[in-house]
Amino acid sequence: MEPGTFLAAEAIKGFVGLAVRVFGDMADIKLDEPFRQLLFSATKKYVQTYTERHGHVQVLGMSKPIPLDDIYSGAWMLDSAALKSYASQSDLEETYRNKGQRRFRDYSCPKRNGIEIARDKDCARLIVLGDPGIGKSTFLRKVGLEALKGNAGDYQLPHIPVFLELKRFRSTEVDLKASITEEFENCGFPSPEGFTENALKKGQLLLLFDGLDEVPADNLNTIIESIQNLVDRYSENRFIASCRIAAYHTYFKRVSTVAIAEFDDDQIERFIYNWFSSKLDREYQTAEQCWERLQQPVNKGSKELAQSPLLLTFICLVYNKSLTVPSNRTTLYSRALDILLEEWATEKRVGRGEIYEGFHADLEKELLAKIAYEGFENDQLFFSKEQLIKYITVFLGDTLDAPKNLNASAVLEAIEVQQGILVERATDVYSFSHLTLQEFLAAKYIVTRNLQKDLVELYLLDFRWREVFLLVAGLMKGGAIRFLQQLEGQTQTLSKNPQLKGLLAWAEVKTSHTASGYSGEVKRIFALVLIFYLALAITWARTSDFDLSGDFARARVCILASDLTSDLTSNPDFVLASTSGLALALATARASGSNNTLANNPSLVLANNLGLALASAKFTMNNQPISDVDLQPLISYLERSFEASKSTAEELTSISSSSLDISPKFFDLSTDDLQAFTNYLSTYQLMIDCSKQASGLSAQQWEAIKQRMFLPPQS
């Protein structure tokens, strides 16, 4: 017997027992064998009907429904007070900057398992809050499924679940008890009115009221009053209602209120493994590959969106078609935004109301893009309600095709309640639901208004804008070549630092006539990598009184150079990319005062840096990107020094200078030099990353840019 068949049989058996108990003291009911057979058929149909209607998921154009139990990844609940603080806008900005992560909400407070709360004796009246797409309806449906399973489920309490979608109540006449009766009558229960009344009196029902926020506004008070009256009259039953956070205004008395937390990494991983669980997916390890790709730094924005079950479903649908997380993420983010703006409201059949008459999705995107961009311009991720209302008012007044009769405060409320793109984080303080969406909308604003030149000139070296740069390139597609040329122009300015200018001139001369099969830009970056690693080793050899910030800066330059090399060549023999992470880790640990053994052992740290220099020197000798040099004496010295974990700065500088035919001064890098090198290499890294985001880029034009990389500034 299939597990599902057994579970259904157990559910029906337990359900029949509950039903018999309800009918037990009804004078007009004779519990004979024919009646029991009738009751068995009715309960069987009820279990099947509930499972068919509420036990499957089919959203966002999925080709077929998926059993809820197959993909359910759990729901963790927070005290609702944890979702909205009373901090000021400036306090929220400071807290976010100090956290060093991309989540706007602080989920450090304790979390509890949702099913456990649903069966808690102190939570008989429960309000479940959450943002759009967070899984409120899914949670209520899951609780009902677990209740149907009886002792075989996680709910464990003897209740019959009744799931009512509140959006169906559009009439001003609301009779909840009649609606409950209808659920039993449709499944063939004998004496459904009497059964409903007795079940309510005996406290045998688990009433699940889904979607308070989806009730038409002119009917909301009637619905709330009807639920409250039912709860008060039949208080022995259990009640769970769901509502979007922004739409809930403490409607009920004597209730427990919790909020569904966004997915954490464990839930995201579990969801993916549940989604890709077919025999074929297990054979090809689809889930493992999807989860691994989603964790890559390049996909941090996609993983951020995956904290929403709705958008994680979308990501899984995309991955199922292409078996990859799109490297050009502008298409992914644009589609995610459309889901929040329009498609999800359609799926949920949420009426958009008078606010949206004439205020279509394209206009709303323009408004949100303006808010996102000006927020970035002002180094602002949080907005006061007053600011947002002003933005909306000005936008409606200044935009030719925007409706002029809308109330800005009502527009803000509609955006928050129906879509959750703007979220209230503290009293009258808002942010975008995800930083990724603000970055994408800011990039959209830049491209629409042709502000790329301002972006490059003002924010090239501001790390906060880095993702915006990548998204701008993605939105420009083939036209991004002009954007890349603007970035290239900045490298010319940055390369005028005397030390950097001299190093670039040396690299050009030493690599221009080699027999190596590598292209010119690759040979030049190889040469620079060798110099940087030698400079790092010399610095560590110079003194035991380390300049912590300088150590980190030198390691950072080496990492950037090595990463650029990895991006420009696929040569598997280039080992520096895989080993350079250790140099950065050591420098970081040292700079942060860590007790890391290596970081606090000068000999081992020196050996590490000598090893990196040695690997680079051997690669250079074997692959010959540099001409007219004899690296064997340098390699022999580095091998001896590496084994002894000992070297003097003077010896290493002397032999490096003579072997490479370069002035010793280039191994002595000041703080300003390091910053100039970092800015220069970071700009090239940004160019390369942007080129990967721009689909349809001209290969010939990009090749021309690459051939000019790492050359001294041109007049």
Side-chain angles (χ1 to χ4, degrees):
M1 183 182 292
E2 293 293 324
T5 305
F6 170 77
L7 199 54
E10 286 294 296
I12 294 167
K13 180 180 177 182
F15 198 165
V16 169
L18 286 175
V20 168
R21 196 180 313 164
V22 171
F23 279 116
D25 57 0
M26 293 176 64
D28 58 337
I29 297 298
K30 183 179 180 181
L31 295 174
D32 55 13
E33 186 59 28
F35 182 86
R36 288 178 181 271
Q37 286 297 323
L38 178 63
L39 194 56
F40 178 84
S41 297
T43 54
K44 179 179 179 181
K45 185 174 181 181
Y46 191 89
V47 171
Q48 290 174 338
T49 300
Y50 187 99
T51 304
E52 289 170 2
R53 286 170 57 190
H54 308 304
H56 293 80
V57 176
Q58 187 174 14
V59 296
L60 304 181
M62 291 166 57
S63 59
K64 62 181 180 179
I66 297 176
L68 177 56
D69 280 342
D70 288 354
I71 64 167
Y72 189 72
S73 303
W76 289 100
M77 301 294 180
L78 302 160
D79 183 329
S80 61
L83 293 183
K84 192 188 297 184
S85 70
Y86 295 93
S88 67
Q89 182 180 343
S90 59
D91 287 342
L92 286 174
E93 292 280 1
E94 183 179 359
T95 300
Y96 174 82
R97 308 291 183 191
N98 291 337
K99 278 193 308 182
Q101 58 185 32
R102 291 175 62 88
R103 286 179 183 261
F104 284 127
R105 279 201 174 116
D106 181 10
Y107 286 120
S108 59
C109 55
K111 295 189 290 187
R112 289 183 63 192
N113 181 280
I115 300 291
E116 290 179 4
I117 293 175
R119 67 171 184 246
D120 191 316
K121 63 181 178 64
D122 295 324
C123 297
R125 302 176 178 186
L126 185 64
I127 305 296
V128 175
L129 304 178
D131 295 324
I134 200 69
K136 301 179 296 297
S137 298
T138 301
F139 173 70
L140 262 62
R141 295 170 192 270
K142 176 63 175 176
V143 173
L145 283 176
E146 294 304 310
L148 279 182
K149 296 173 187 176
N151 292 332
D154 292 334
Y155 181 71
Q156 294 288 306
L157 300 179
H159 293 117
I160 300 169
V162 181
F163 190 95
L164 296 178
E165 293 179 289
L166 297 178
K167 65 185 178 184
R168 293 167 48 201
F169 294 94
R170 297 190 171 273
S171 169
T172 54
E173 298 294 325
V174 176
D175 188 341
L176 292 177
K177 191 159 74 168
S179 296
I180 296 169
T181 299
E182 186 180 353
E183 294 292 310
F184 295 119
E185 185 176 16
N186 290 340
C187 293
F189 271 76
S191 185
E193 295 88 353
F195 180 81
T196 300
E197 179 67 24
N198 251 26
L200 285 168
K201 285 181 178 178
K202 293 186 175 187
Q204 301 275 211
L205 298 187
L206 168 64
L207 297 174
L208 304 165
F209 299 112
D210 182 45
L212 271 171
D213 51 280
E214 297 170 27
V215 176
D218 56 1
N219 212 27
L220 182 58
N221 289 336
T222 304
I223 288 289
I224 292 169
E225 185 178 347
S226 299
I227 293 175
Q228 189 67 62
N229 289 340
L230 190 72
V231 169
D232 290 341
R233 183 176 178 185
Y234 301 105
S235 58
E236 295 302 311
N237 300 273
R238 295 184 76 90
F239 305 83
I240 305 178
S242 71
C243 187
R244 297 184 182 186
I245 294 172
Y248 189 71
H249 300 287
T250 317
Y251 295 131
F252 301 106
K253 299 172 288 185
R254 302 184 303 280
V255 296
S256 301
T257 307
V258 295
I260 300 183
E262 292 177 332
F263 270 7
D264 58 22
D265 280 6
D266 288 341
Q267 288 171 291
I268 295 173
E269 183 179 12
R270 193 179 312 124
F271 186 99
I272 290 171
Y273 274 76
N274 289 342
W275 186 281
F276 297 109
S277 59
S278 69
K279 182 178 179 181
L280 189 63
D281 284 327
R282 290 196 301 271
E283 180 181 346
Y284 286 96
Q285 296 185 312
T286 310
E288 289 88 338
Q289 293 174 31
C290 178
W291 172 239
E292 181 181 339
R293 293 192 181 192
L294 200 60
Q295 293 200 92
Q296 294 172 356
V298 69
N299 291 321
K300 64 182 178 182
S302 301
K303 186 179 177 185
E304 183 182 319
L305 295 180
Q307 295 162 8
S308 160
L310 172 67
L311 297 181
L312 178 55
T313 299
F314 164 60
I315 289 169
C316 286
L317 287 168
V318 171
Y319 192 87
N320 192 52
K321 289 181 179 179
S322 61
L323 293 181
T324 186
V325 178
S327 57
N328 183 336
R329 42 203 185 270
T330 54
T331 302
L332 187 74
Y333 297 170
S334 180
R335 184 77 177 88
L337 185 63
D338 287 340
I339 287 170
L340 295 176
L341 284 175
E342 296 184 282
E343 189 161 332
W344 186 233
T346 303
E347 292 266 4
K348 298 287 284 182
R349 296 293 188 268
V350 177
R352 290 168 66 83
E354 294 179 3
I355 288 299
Y356 285 99
E357 290 184 9
F359 191 58
H360 50 78
D362 287 341
L363 274 177
E364 188 175 351
K365 288 178 189 176
E366 288 295 318
L367 167 63
L368 292 170
K370 180 177 178 62
I371 295 170
Y373 175 75
E374 294 196 12
F376 265 102
E377 267 201 320
N378 298 324
D379 193 14
Q380 183 180 357
L381 301 176
F382 296 88
F383 306 84
S384 70
K385 184 174 185 178
E386 182 182 0
Q387 279 181 297
L388 292 175
I389 289 175
K390 184 177 179 181
Y391 273 124
I392 296 169
T393 302
V394 171
F395 179 83
L396 293 175
D398 287 352
T399 305
L400 184 63
D401 58 336
K404 309 302 179 188
N405 59 337
L406 296 184
N407 178 278
S409 181
V411 171
L412 173 59
E413 183 179 359
I415 292 172
E416 182 190 13
V417 171
Q418 295 187 18
Q419 300 152 346
I421 293 175
L422 292 173
V423 178
E424 191 176 17
R425 304 299 187 184
T427 303
D428 292 339
V429 180
Y430 295 74
S431 78
F432 283 87
S433 57
H434 298 89
L435 178 54
T436 291
L437 292 181
Q438 184 175 357
E439 290 166 336
F440 173 74
L441 285 162
K444 188 174 178 63
Y445 187 88
I446 290 165
V447 173
T448 301
R449 286 159 180 78
N450 200 25
L451 299 176
Q452 294 90 323
K453 185 177 182 216
D454 291 345
L455 177 67
V456 171
E457 291 179 353
L458 295 174
Y459 304 115
L460 173 63
L461 302 177
D462 189 336
F463 186 76
R464 295 178 312 112
W465 287 80
R466 191 178 191 284
E467 189 70 15
V468 177
F469 273 84
L470 300 178
L471 292 168
V472 164
L475 288 168
M476 292 182 72
K477 299 182 179 178
I481 196 69
R482 299 188 304 276
F483 186 50
L484 297 176
Q485 288 165 347
Q486 289 172 332
L487 289 171
E488 183 187 18
Q490 292 300 304
T491 65
Q492 292 288 299
T493 301
L494 293 169
S495 64
K496 291 178 181 177
N497 168 275
Q499 283 280 67
L500 178 55
K501 184 177 179 181
L503 264 183
L504 295 175
W506 170 83
E508 181 185 21
V509 170
K510 290 298 180 184
T511 60
S512 58
H513 302 295
T514 64
S516 169
Y518 290 107
S519 58
E521 74 278 3
V522 172
K523 291 188 288 185
R524 291 189 290 273
I525 193 63
F526 279 151
L528 293 174
V529 166
L530 177 56
I531 294 294
F532 292 148
Y533 275 125
L534 286 169
L536 185 62
I538 288 168
T539 301
W540 278 96
R542 181 169 291 121
T543 175
S544 59
D545 183 19
F546 303 114
D547 171 11
L548 302 184
S549 61
D551 295 337
F552 181 84
R554 288 178 181 84
R556 179 64 184 148
V557 168
C558 292
I559 301 307
L560 281 167
S562 182
D563 287 345
L564 280 165
T565 310
S566 299
D567 277 325
L568 290 168
T569 176
S570 57
N571 189 306
D573 296 327
F574 186 66
V575 298
L576 299 183
S578 61
T579 58
S580 60
L582 179 58
L584 181 58
L586 293 173
T588 304
R590 185 73 182 175
S592 63
S594 167
N595 290 323
N596 182 289
T597 303
L598 289 177
N600 287 298
N601 187 321
S603 295
L604 291 179
V605 176
L606 175 59
N608 171 69
N609 287 289
L610 289 169
L612 291 172
L614 176 60
S616 182
K618 284 184 174 180
F619 181 88
T620 302
M621 184 175 71
N622 293 334
N623 291 273
Q624 298 181 327
I626 303 176
S627 62
D628 302 325
V629 295
D630 181 7
L631 291 178
Q632 190 55 57
L634 174 61
I635 291 173
S636 298
Y637 177 84
L638 288 170
E639 286 176 334
R640 293 193 304 273
S641 300
F642 175 73
E643 292 173 2
S645 298
K646 185 178 180 181
S647 176
T648 67
E650 291 75 14
E651 288 177 335
L652 186 51
T653 301
S654 176
I655 196 166
S656 298
S657 175
S658 60
S659 294
L660 294 170
D661 187 22
I662 187 172
S663 169
K665 71 177 183 179
F666 289 112
F667 298 109
D668 187 12
L669 305 178
S670 70
T671 302
D672 289 344
D673 295 334
L674 291 170
Q675 189 59 60
F677 285 20
T678 298
N679 294 343
Y680 178 79
L681 296 173
S682 295
T683 302
Y684 270 123
Q685 185 67 61
L686 180 60
M687 285 174 59
I688 292 171
D689 291 341
C690 284
S691 73
K692 296 175 182 177
Q693 292 299 308
S695 61
L697 204 63
S698 164
Q700 183 178 1
Q701 290 176 307
W702 174 238
E703 187 61 33
I705 290 177
K706 283 171 57 181
Q707 289 175 8
R708 296 190 294 267
M709 286 181 174
F710 316 118
L711 286 170
Q714 306 298 308
S715 59

